[in-house]
Amino acid sequence: MRYRRLRADELPVETVDLAQALIGCVLVRDCPDSRSAGRIVETEAYVRDDPASHAYRGPSARNASMFLGPFHAYVYKIYGTSLCVNVTSETEGAGAAVLVRAIEPLEGLQIMEERRGTTRMRDLARGPGRLCQALDIGMQLDGVDLLRDKRLWLAVPASREVPVRRRVGKSVRIGITKAADRLLRFYERGNPFVSGPKGLSP
DNA sequence: TAGGCGATGCTCT
DNA sequence: GAGCATCGCCTAG
């Protein structure tokens, strides 16, 4: 399958708009010998002045890349074992980002199965930690420009001019305790590759 | 199949 | 020393 890089003028910089616009876009991971890619089906917005956001208390060694300009990767380790990947938003210094929570595998299924240690399609990249493992996203990709980098980049299928807007549902965010009532999670309705409890993704 | 819970190690107080 | 933007295993039904 062929993909076309997204351009900055095709994506909104405002965090909530970006979280919704990324649904249906493709995340491509190129390694020397392989390509793996999937459609983004679930995101969460971490906005400015958001108590649940890693940027809430200001810049630190861990969250530094969250303060880069828009469309950079913020990769961090959580619970000691899992990695998560975000797309930064707003402007340089704002400290806002969109967490990519799940993708629908499109290409490189075999290498994703090897990285994940399962052949169960639905479990390959459902959840932020799983998708990082499936795409071999590590800390070396923290801070890369997702519109220009050769290893990890945002795309649309080459046959399409503009990302197709899918039916996007919204809910509270998963796994947080602060600002837990805000409807800042977005997902493609009815898609089986969306993570989280069923009640949150009707 | 759905829900509960322990592992796990880093970050920040 | 507490608190995680999670995962996979185990159990119950």
Side-chain angles (χ1 to χ4, degrees):
Chain A
M1 195 178 304
R2 295 185 62 80
Y3 307 100
R4 174 177 69 72
R5 278 180 186 274
L6 276 166
R7 301 183 305 266
D9 62 20
E10 294 176 285
L11 291 170
V13 295
E14 201 282 319
T15 310
V16 174
D17 291 342
L18 179 62
Q20 295 174 84
L22 285 175
I23 304 290
C25 294
V26 177
L27 191 59
V28 182
R29 173 73 168 114
D30 280 327
C31 294
D33 299 319
S34 67
R35 165 171 288 180
S36 42
R39 283 183 59 242
I40 297 171
V41 295
E42 181 185 358
T43 61
E44 285 179 357
Y46 287 84
V47 300
R48 275 194 267 195
D49 297 319
D50 179 355
S53 170
H54 288 175
Y56 187 60
R57 296 178 194 282
S60 68
R62 173 165 85 146
N63 67 16
S65 59
M66 201 170 168
F67 290 84
L68 296 171
F71 318 130
H72 287 70
Y74 166 44
V75 182
Y76 67 91
K77 188 174 268 190
I78 188 65
Y79 296 109
T81 51
S82 304
L83 293 172
C84 298
V85 62
N86 294 246
V87 180
T88 61
S89 58
E90 311 278 339
T91 56
E92 186 176 351
V98 175
L99 171 68
V100 182
R101 284 195 57 90
I103 60 169
E104 174 182 344
L106 291 179
E107 187 169 355
L109 296 184
Q110 189 176 339
I111 194 166
M112 287 194 213
E113 290 172 355
E114 289 169 12
R115 289 165 178 160
R116 289 275 303 119
T118 179
T119 56
R120 216 180 139 186
M121 176 88 173
R122 190 163 170 262
D123 286 342
L124 287 183
R126 185 170 50 93
R130 292 171 180 146
L131 90 83
C132 282
Q133 195 179 11
L135 295 182
D136 191 29
I137 294 173
M139 292 303 299
Q140 78 277 12
L141 296 173
D142 184 35
V144 304
D145 182 340
L146 292 170
L147 303 184
R148 298 181 180 282
D149 197 83
K150 291 193 174 79
R151 299 161 293 173
L152 184 66
W153 44 284
L154 287 166
V156 286
S159 57
R160 265 183 222 139
E161 285 301 312
V162 184
V164 172
R165 272 290 174 106
R166 305 280 168 157
R167 294 192 57 182
V168 177
K170 71 167 78 167
S171 82
V172 296
R173 293 173 289 185
I174 292 175
I176 59 166
T177 55
K178 298 167 194 146
D181 58 337
R182 302 189 68 175
L183 298 175
L184 292 175
R185 171 175 172 262
F186 303 94
Y187 58 91
E188 184 174 304
R189 283 189 198 278
N191 189 298
F193 297 95
V194 171
S195 79
K198 212 173 179 183
L200 279 185
S201 311

